[in-house]
Amino acid sequence: DITTHDGLVLAASADGRLSVSDPRRGRLDGSVGTSDPQDDELLSARVVKNGRKVVCGTQTGALVVWSWGRWGDSTDRALGHPESVDALLKVDEDVLLTGSSDGLLRVVKVLPGLDLLGILGDHDGFPIERLAGLNANETLVASLSHDTLVRFWDARELHQLDTITSRPGGDASGGPSSSAKMDLGDDDDDDDD
């Protein structure tokens, strides 16, 4: 995954490294820094806390955190997702939406620690690959999964969620919100002849 902040490009990599580059340097190697290798694949990345922290989702479900400008070792590691965190969407400087391979779209408060605030949606067990905010204040969110559906979520509900506890196994409890679905599958049974 790739994200940007202050003109820098941050890339989360399956080799377990976070790379930071400055494309304005005008050469191929605009490297600003590279993290120490993690014992986990980095799958997604977002900048939070007004540019002071970088959060990466991992293959094992942990969220790994770096302090801005300290690209060596990570500064925090928060557990709580039972499976990989494949997609991240910043709601505000303290809250992220996480798309996981278990099909759940979770609302997470980051730092200090990790608070699972609730579940915004569910792709019925199909892995969530991408998340996108569709308007300026991110009150409409789209998620894409292996179920060939783009689902739209009313994210205004984020302001109504209370902190919840985790069930055994680290999976957040709570029910999904209502969603609108758009089928992207190619259905051979259509009578469009």
Side-chain angles (χ1 to χ4, degrees), residues 119-122 151-155 157 175-181:
I119 297 173
L120 183 63
D122 186 354
R151 297 186 189 208
F152 299 94
W153 309 97
D154 182 359
E157 296 177 18
S177 69
S178 59
S179 70
K181 302 176 185 178

Side-chain angles (χ1 to χ4, degrees), residues 27-66:
R27 59 180 201 252
L28 287 177
D29 181 19
S31 180
V32 171
T34 303
S35 75
D36 294 340
Q38 304 299 298
D39 293 331
D40 208 346
E41 294 179 33
L42 303 181
L43 304 175
S44 50
R46 288 298 170 264
V47 178
V48 296
K49 298 292 188 179
N50 296 308
R52 294 188 324 263
K53 301 289 182 178
V54 178
V55 178
C56 290
T58 67
Q59 181 67 33
T60 60
L63 294 176
V64 181
V65 181
W66 280 268

Side-chain angles (χ1 to χ4, degrees), residues 125-145:
F126 289 97
I128 297 173
E129 292 292 325
R130 295 277 188 260
L131 298 172
L134 299 179
N135 54 4
N137 56 0
E138 311 267 336
T139 58
L140 182 61
V141 173
S143 59
L144 175 64
S145 180

